[in-house]
Amino acid sequence: MAGDYQRGEMDIHEQAATFEGFGKFTKWGSLAIASLLLTITLWFCTPAGFVGGLVPGIVLAVLGVLFLKEKPASAH
C-alpha cells in the first residue's frame, strides 16, 4: 500500500479552497468583531453614547475594508 503513493499527484484544489476560505473568514470576522467591540465599548463604558460609539466603529470598519481587501495580482 505505501508503495502506491506517488508524491505530488493528489488533487489538492479542495484543500486549497478550504484554506483560502478559512483565511478570508478569519480576516473579515476579526474586522467585524473589532468594529463591534469598539462600538459597544465606547457606547456603554464612556459618556460618548450611542453615536459616539457608532461613528468610530464605522470608521474602523471602512478603514479595515480598505486595508484588508484583496490586492490585484501583479503581472510578471
Side-chain angles (χ1 to χ4, degrees):
M1 282 216 208
D4 294 338
Y5 175 72
Q6 298 295 322
R7 182 181 172 107
E9 292 188 6
M10 189 170 107
D11 182 24
I12 60 166
H13 287 70
E14 289 183 19
Q15 288 92 344
T18 300
F19 182 79
E20 183 180 346
F22 179 77
K24 287 181 180 180
F25 177 76
T26 303
K27 177 172 63 172
W28 296 114
S30 297
L31 177 61
I33 290 171
S35 297
L36 180 64
L37 188 61
L38 176 65
T39 300
I40 61 175
T41 300
L42 291 176
W43 182 8
F44 291 116
C45 297
T46 66
F50 176 71
V51 175
L54 186 64
V55 171
I58 291 173
V59 168
L60 178 64
V62 169
L63 289 174
V65 167
L66 291 175
F67 284 114
L68 293 178
K69 69 181 177 181
E70 296 288 325
K71 305 329 185 249
S74 61
H76 290 282

